[in-house]
Structures are given as structure tokens and as C-alpha cells.
Amino acid sequence: MKQIQRPMFSIRSLVMSVRKIHAAGKSSLRLDERVAIVTASTEGIGFAIARRLGLDGATVMVSSRKQQNVDKAVEKLKEDSINVAGMVCHVGKEEDRKQLIQETINKFGKLDILVSNAAVNPILDVPLVEATEKGWDKIFDVNVKASFLLAKEAYPHLKNSNNGSIVFVSSVAGFSPLSRSGAYGISKTALFGLTRALSVELGVENIRVNCLAPGIIQTRFSSAFWMNKAAIESDIERQLSIKRIGQPEDCAGIVSLLCSDDASYITGEIILVTGGVASRL
Ligand code: NAP
């Protein structure tokens, strides 16, 4: 059986080079002075994004449902000399969403970047026509409605930033539905619509709105896919141009770029990070 390859870079080497730049007193990082919120950021893709935004100079507020996960994530990010705070936020709860934004403003005085990353999929391996209403509602509440309401809550602060950026984390499944996970895919397609609609309205306020659509990335969320070694190897062989499963760090640099001035004329876009899975022309 072939080994699953790792990416060509390591986050450790990135941390070391950032520290060297700082030590040399030449630090002008692309997200210096920016304040970012990343939801669902205590592990997986959200954590990698929070870390990368922090390494690129942003002050970061991390969050997830469990205090112990928040504490661990904050500790790890502090080891990388990132300016970070954390708090509990279940994105499905109105009170939590409001507190997340308010606490960020109280602590850091402003907000420039919102990365809405949380998602659930309680209807796994079920034909779409058998999806329950309860499961459908949960998926749409967390994946779509909470993303919209967070953006709405963040909007006045992003407007004040005059350099605001929103990134919604969707999925390649929004383009190419996964078999027996249809409702999840439809919720991710809805995020493409949310990205486009908000980008049209918020461009005039200098708030850019973009979307990340990952393929199979090795996290707890996707473990049902990659734990099945035979299936994942056959998927890699058949579908991926880059012959390895994605890692959370593969998603992080592009989000940092989208939030930076290097992407100042990019809005309403959906960026696929899939290792080359065929999904659209
Ligand atoms: P993950 O590694 O399983 O991480 C999930 C994170 O979300 C944890 O920090 C968890 O912490 C937090 N979380 C879960 N439910 C939450 C909620 N309701 N409110 C706030 N935080 C919550 O997941 P992931 O694979 O990185 O997925 C992140 C995003 O990428 C999702 O939007 C997913 O749809 C998308 N995506 C993933 C893949 C993939 O292959 N992994 C592919 C395409 C798209 P707590 O338990 O403490 O809440």
C-alpha cells in the first residue's frame, strides 16, 4: 500500500522564518494591524487558518463550543508568538455569536476579518430523499443561517475597518454533491450564493467577500472518508491531480492571501483547494 504523502512545507519552518524576520526587525507582515475572528478554530482547517493569519501578523480571536478546546488552541498559538485570545462560541447560538463579536471589539478595538468556518453534517450516509427534517434544519441552521447572521453581526465593524474581509468556508461538495450526504452539499452550495450576494452589496463599503471550497482535507470531520484506506487511495488515484490527501495547512495560506491587500480586487470568488478534483470548468 502506498504511503499518503505529506505537503512539501511544514508549519514549523514557516514559524521559524517569521520569527527570523521579526528578530531582524524587518517585520512588515501582510496582515499587520488586522484583527480577525475565525469560528470553529480550535482544530482542523479553522485552527490552521487562525494560525496562518496570526503568523502573517493578524491578532486573532479563536473560538469553538468547548472551553477546554479553546484553552488548548490559545496555548498552542501563543507558543508561536501569535497575538491571540479565545472564547466559547457555538455558532448556532445567537447569544454566543453576539458575544464573540462584542468581546473581540472590547479586547482588540476593531474587526477587519471574519472567517466563518463552522459546519455540521448530522445526515451522513443517507439518501437525500430519506434526510430528516430535524437533520436538514440543523445543517442549514449551523452551516448557512449562522454564517449569514455572523456576517450581519460583524458588518458594522467591518464597515468601520474600511478594509473588511469575509471568507466563508464551503466545500467542493457545494459543486459536486457527495453521494448520501446531499443536504450537507446543498448547504455548501448556499454559501456560494451568500458569498456572491454579499459581495455585490458590500463592495461599496470596501468589504470583500470570498469563499474557500476545500476538497478532502485530513481532519476529524472528514475521518469517515480518509480512515477507509482502500477507498481514499482509489479516490486519490482517480480524482486527484496532486496525489495526496489535503492537510489543513493547505487551506490556510490562501485564506490569508484573500484577507490581505494582495487580494484587494478579488471579491465574490470561490477558491477551490482540492488537489485538482474536477468540479467546474
Ligand atoms: P474539524 O477538524 O472536525 O474541526 C471542527 C472544529 O469546529 C472544532 O474546532 C470544533 O470544536 C468546532 N465546532 C464544531 N461545531 C461547532 C459549532 N457548532 N460552533 C462552533 N464551533 C464548532 O473540521 P474541519 O474538517 O476542519 O472542517 C472545517 C470546515 O471545513 C467546515 O465548514 C467543513 O464543512 C469544511 N470542509 C471540510 C472538509 C474536510 O475534508 N475536512 C472538506 C470540505 C469542507 P468544538 O468541538 O470545541 O466545538
Side-chain angles (χ1 to χ4, degrees):
M1 194 173 63
K2 271 184 268 165
Q3 285 283 317
I4 291 175
Q5 295 168 34
R6 312 292 299 185
M8 300 287 285
F9 61 89
S10 82
I11 197 75
R12 198 46 57 195
S13 60
L14 182 63
V15 173
M16 294 315 288
S17 23
V18 169
R19 280 190 179 147
K20 271 188 210 151
I21 294 168
H22 272 296
K26 291 181 198 148
S27 105
S28 171
L29 299 171
R30 65 180 172 192
L31 298 179
D32 269 347
E33 314 288 326
R34 310 278 164 98
V35 176
I37 287 176
V38 186
T39 66
S41 47
T42 56
E43 66 176 295
I45 294 170
F47 180 78
I49 292 172
R51 185 181 221 174
R52 183 57 192 262
L53 298 184
L55 290 174
D56 286 344
T59 295
V60 187
M61 176 65 93
V62 293
S63 62
S64 76
R65 292 165 304 177
K66 299 181 196 110
Q67 186 68 56
Q68 74 210 43
N69 293 343
V70 172
D71 293 342
K72 262 194 241 158
V74 168
E75 207 174 296
K76 275 201 224 158
L77 294 173
K78 281 189 172 158
E79 282 170 18
D80 292 335
S81 305
I82 289 169
N83 192 16
V84 60
M87 63 180 290
V88 165
C89 172
H90 182 319
V91 298
K93 295 184 178 167
E94 182 183 5
E95 198 48 37
D96 284 15
R97 288 192 302 265
K98 284 185 186 301
Q99 273 174 13
L100 178 65
I101 307 284
Q102 201 45 58
E103 188 59 20
T104 305
I105 300 299
N106 293 348
K107 261 198 155 61
F108 303 124
K110 63 175 192 144
L111 177 65
D112 307 287
I113 295 166
L114 171 67
V115 180
S116 175
N117 170 63
V120 291
N121 184 14
I123 318 181
L124 252 183
D125 204 18
V126 174
L128 185 52
V129 287
E130 289 173 25
T132 61
E133 185 175 350
K134 193 170 165 221
W136 176 279
D137 284 347
K138 174 96 184 152
I139 286 174
F140 277 78
D141 274 357
V142 172
N143 301 7
V144 185
K145 192 165 119 182
S147 294
F148 162 63
L149 292 172
L150 256 174
K152 188 173 165 179
E153 196 74 36
Y155 163 68
H157 307 289
L158 296 174
K159 188 175 158 182
N160 284 342
S161 150
N162 201 32
N163 216 347
S165 181
I166 300 175
V167 177
F168 293 112
V169 178
S170 176
S171 167
V172 67
F175 285 120
S176 314
L178 298 167
S179 169
R180 302 169 73 87
S181 258
Y184 169 78
I186 298 166
S187 76
K188 294 299 192 176
T189 310
L191 288 179
F192 299 156
L194 181 60
T195 301
R196 299 307 294 261
L198 276 179
S199 69
V200 169
E201 291 190 7
L202 301 188
V204 70
E205 326 253 32
N206 218 19
I207 302 171
R208 296 178 300 100
V209 188
N210 291 294
C211 185
L212 174 79
I216 303 174
I217 307 295
Q218 192 167 6
T219 68
R220 187 161 53 94
F221 186 77
S222 60
S223 55
F225 294 105
W226 55 261
M227 298 269 274
N228 182 339
K229 290 247 185 298
I232 191 70
E233 289 201 348
S234 120
D235 268 12
I236 289 173
E237 204 45 51
R238 279 183 305 111
Q239 293 199 53
L240 273 62
S241 310
I242 296 170
K243 300 291 176 195
R244 64 171 174 82
I245 189 170
Q247 298 299 316
E249 291 75 20
D250 289 315
C251 298
I254 185 68
V255 172
S256 171
L257 173 77
L258 285 173
C259 296
S260 77
D261 292 344
D262 288 336
S264 60
Y265 206 49
I266 299 179
T267 194
E269 291 297 341
I270 300 156
I271 310 289
L272 285 147
V273 177
T274 63
V277 172
S279 50
R280 57 176 181 182
L281 278 179

